[in-house]
Amino acid sequence: MAVADSLRQRAAALRRGLERHNRLYYVEDAPEITDAEYDRLFAELQRLEAEHPELAAPDSPTQRVGAPPLTAFAQVRHRTPMLSLANAFSEDEVRAFDRRVRDALQVEEVDYAVEPKFDGLAVSLAYRDGVFVQGATRGDGTNGEDVTPNLRTVGAIPLRLPQAVDTRELEVRGEVLMFRRDFEALNARQRAAGHKEFVNPRNAAAGSLRQLDSRITAQRTLRFFAYGVGEAPTARWRTQDEILARLAAMGFPVVKDRAVVRGADGVLAYYAQLGAKRVGLPFAIDGVVYKVNRLDWQERLGHVARAPRFALAHKYAAEEQETEVLGIDVQVGRTGVLTPVARLKPVFVGGVTVTNATLHNEDELRRKDVRVGDTVIVRRAGDVIPEVVGVRLEKRPAATHEFRMPERCPVCGSAAARVAGEAATRCTGGLFCRAQRIQALLHFKGRRAMDIEGLGDKLAEQLIELEMVASPADLYTLDADVLAGLERMGEKSARNVLASIERSRDATLSRFIFALGIPGVGEEVAKILARHFGSLEEFLQADWEQLARDKESVRKDNAKRKRRGEALEAVPLEGIGPEIMESVRQFLEERHNREVIERLIAPAAGVRVRAEPRAAPARVARTFVLTGTLPGLSRDEAKSLIESRGHKVASSVSKSTDYVVAGDEPGSKLERARELGVTVLDEKGLRDKLDKL
Ligand code: IVH
């Protein structure tokens, strides 16, 4: 049975009415009815369409509630690419841009259409015969994602264009974003529901738009501003200004704070004006955009790479705000580095509410002298971590104390120590500290360390997260049944993992030392240590201060011997500098690490560390020169390797050079070597030679 005409007419009237109210609310910001009245009309239309499915239409406002979830987004190819913009940060750069434009056009003066640079996501909206048919994200500029169902839920996007204008085919470009107040409300809801909060309106808008379930998008208040067009074969417009005026007339939201201005002075004045209004805008902007107004001139200017020559984004400096330091916490990262973090009285800056700001490290903290109770200036730009710029000393309360980095790791209680030659303070309990567990285990089981082949990164992380493993020693007492019960495991893979753990019980000293993950101790240094000490017992009992003194005295003696032309004595631990020695000392001094090592070699875990032949000192010291990049050794590693065998590394080639080791892109040293007839080795040649010498 055909639907009665009266019902058809009622549905059409409801649609027109609802779309008008949508526009009044989202585009003109001047609603005429209350939300409750809107909801009542909406429910009536929904009921009509449900009872008479033949009344449903893709451009009906009821489509804005979202559609059943997708499994993936389809790709959309942008026939007109979605370009990026060149950036400018200073007046000079802006003037240079204007000069380039005038020179290229051979004109005296240029009018620019100027607009805010919205801090949201670019989208492209395709209309056919006046109906919204497809919407896509920018993607890489050439291919984007089809997010049509999500964009339908955005109230500010017209689903149908007025018939009066020629809109047989039209692609509108613009920005999807979230107003600050809608962002705050969303986060309040997220908080109440125990969900994760969004860091800023841009991320919230991106997360909402890229939902496979558009019903979720429908619950987020997204906005849209049009700033241009893509494919528009039937359009006849002459300026950017005219495009925006026509889009506004079609019912698209177009920002009010736009203008057409003349020359560099004009754009700079606009930049300053909008800058002053920026914090008062309901949405975030990160700059302004200048576009040559005349479209024929835009065409003449064309593009470079991915950006048009006719447009420029002039960015605002990072926003700064004042707030109070409530406390200073110390966080421990995966690598054991301690980072002081200021806990702040919440402050809205750079588009987000900031409650923490990094103080980087002890030196920075000292330099800025940030104290609990201080009023500080906080800065945030884009997606970067907020930071404390400085203290308002004139506002410092009477009784404050200079902050001191803790002497113990706040996570595990191990000693915290400054890394020699660096600004970082590090927890020395690398094998024990909860914050460093994942890192320590991934390193320990690695191919170049204990080489536990069957234990993948994912499984290692899972073992830590489930607290089945707290330190590498726990690997060796894992239970087969418990392991088999893990996600994606099963008996066979559990057996494989245990077999490769079993194989790793037999380790060379150098691998074992490397596996401990001592800061600064790479494979080569581990080899030098292993050759020097010969056994784990010797290594653990070493007197590091004595060693440092020995090293120093041999070095002094050698200097004398050299002057006298005598043979040189081998320097103990040649190739290992004082910083690394200090790092090893600190690591082994930490009781917690010792306990883990003891557990590793105790019968229950049963790791057997094989002694390594001690290095025989080189009979005759040779001189090597390094040039270019070696495939498997860094410059420092190659140097340590050579020096550990009692040879020398010189920086330039001369008649007394014995070997030049050349890698990729060698410098003039290689030419010099050829001139002088010096033997040239590659990395493998170097290793072979060192074994023979
Ligand atoms: S025009 C031909 N106008 O900036 C240039 N873009 O860096 C195409 N953006 O992905 C862009 N506000 O998301 C233009 N008023 C504005 C803009 C704007 C923000 C974004 C847009 C684009 C990015 C380019």
Side-chain angles (χ1 to χ4, degrees), residues 12 23 42 45 98 121 126 150 211 258 402 476 513 517 590:
R23 203 178 61 243
F42 193 91
L45 180 60
D98 174 57
L121 297 93
N150 306 39
Q211 280 287 339
R258 65 180 201 277
E402 198 179 319
Y476 295 94
I513 292 176
E590 177 50 53

Side-chain angles (χ1 to χ4, degrees), residues 31-45:
E32 288 175 3
I33 59 174
T34 64
D35 288 1
E37 280 172 283
Y38 182 93
D39 291 346
R40 199 181 49 71
L41 295 172
F42 193 91
E44 185 185 343
L45 180 60

Side-chain angles (χ1 to χ4, degrees), residues 617-647:
R619 281 183 293 270
V620 186
R622 304 288 165 90
T623 303
F624 290 74
V625 172
L626 300 167
T627 179
T629 316
L630 298 175
L633 288 173
S634 71
R635 187 58 72 96
D636 287 342
E637 284 168 344
K639 189 161 180 281
S640 311
L641 182 65
I642 293 166
E643 289 173 346
S644 71
R645 308 297 177 90
H647 303 290

Side-chain angles (χ1 to χ4, degrees), residues 78 82 120-126 132 134-139 144-148 150-151 154 157 171-177 205-206 209-210 222-230 252:
H78 301 299
M82 295 183 77
L121 297 93
V123 293
S124 186
L125 310 174
F132 174 55
Q134 190 179 57
T137 61
R138 175 170 182 269
E145 284 173 332
D146 185 339
V147 288
T148 312
N150 306 39
L151 286 169
V154 178
I157 294 178
E171 207 177 297
V172 175
R173 302 251 164 111
E175 199 91 343
V176 165
L177 46 81
L209 190 62
R210 296 197 65 261
L222 292 176
R223 311 275 170 159
F224 173 78
F225 283 105
Y227 55 61
V229 290
F252 288 98

